Amino acid sequence: MNETIDCIIREAIPSDAEQILKFLNETAAQTGFMTQGREGVGVSVEEEEEQLDTIYSSLNNCVFIARVDEEVVGIASIHASDKPKIEHIGEIGVVVDKGYWGFGLGTLLMEELLLWADESPMLSRLELKVQERNSRARHLYEKLGFKLEAIMEQGVKDEGQLLNVCLMSKLI
Ligand SMILES: CC(C)(COP(=O)(O)OP(=O)(O)OC[C@H]1O[C@@H](n2cnc3c(N)ncnc32)[C@H](O)[C@@H]1OP(=O)(O)O)[C@@H](O)C(=O)NCCC(=O)NCCS
């Protein structure tokens, strides 16, 4: 029998700040796939609350969270600049707690982001960077229509190892 979970996906609000920071600090140490390492996020709860407040009313930034039993188990975000020449470009980030991989949460979170981006009056290009060795994430992005644009050689360093990074994009 396949295991299933009850999950709620919604936009993050300022009162989620503490749980989000805890989640990001924990998941940063679970894999070597995040740009954030064991040093942690380095943001206070108050700063995170302010950021979430600003993002909630932004037309080119968003944060979605996946919750199971009141706990944050996944986050996906679009971050864009306020500079007019590049405000149409949204950078994607997604992470799911390792204990919840394979339940489809990464796909659901990404689909929410894509729906939100489609409705945004500002965004026309989504992009992301993913380590070449991160085959699970690359599969997810390719499945949702992201195309490989370039390989950034030695684009990241993990545990002293220089690794290639894929630049992927999707026009909307
Ligand atoms: C990438 C990540 C978000 C995926 O989350 P998830 O909840 O496991 O994703 P889903 O269950 O929706 O989908 C996983 C897909 O990868 C596939 N997959 C699993 N292992 C794989 C592998 N080694 N190689 C290729 N595909 C793989 C699954 O079959 C599934 O594909 P399908 O939907 O076509 O059946 C999650 O692994 C994660 O948080 N990783 C660490 C952070 C990270 O790498 N973020 C991206 C940085 S750019």
Side-chain angles (χ1 to χ4, degrees), residues 55-150:
I55 289 170
Y56 193 77
S57 52
S58 165
L59 295 177
N60 58 354
N61 291 265
C62 68
V63 177
F64 280 86
I65 55 173
R67 295 177 95 216
V68 173
D69 295 335
E70 316 266 300
E71 290 281 319
V72 173
V73 299
I75 294 186
S77 60
I78 297 177
H79 173 72
S81 169
D82 55 7
K83 293 190 173 74
K85 288 186 181 178
I86 52 170
E87 66 184 11
H88 63 288
I89 302 172
E91 184 166 357
I92 301 269
V94 58
V95 56
V96 172
D97 183 291
K98 207 167 182 180
Y100 289 89
W101 286 11
F103 287 97
L105 294 183
T107 304
L108 285 173
L109 281 162
M110 284 294 299
E111 284 172 348
E112 285 295 331
L113 283 191
L114 293 177
L115 285 173
W116 190 91
D118 270 340
E119 295 294 314
S120 162
M122 294 175 81
L123 294 172
S124 66
R125 171 187 163 92
L126 298 176
E127 65 181 31
L128 60 88
K129 295 188 187 105
V130 56
Q131 292 177 17
E132 193 174 28
R133 65 178 179 170
N134 191 351
S135 50
R136 178 185 284 259
R138 288 179 59 193
H139 171 85
L140 174 63
Y141 300 139
E142 280 163 14
K143 183 176 79 170
L144 295 171
F146 283 79
K147 300 266 186 280
L148 178 67
E149 283 194 340

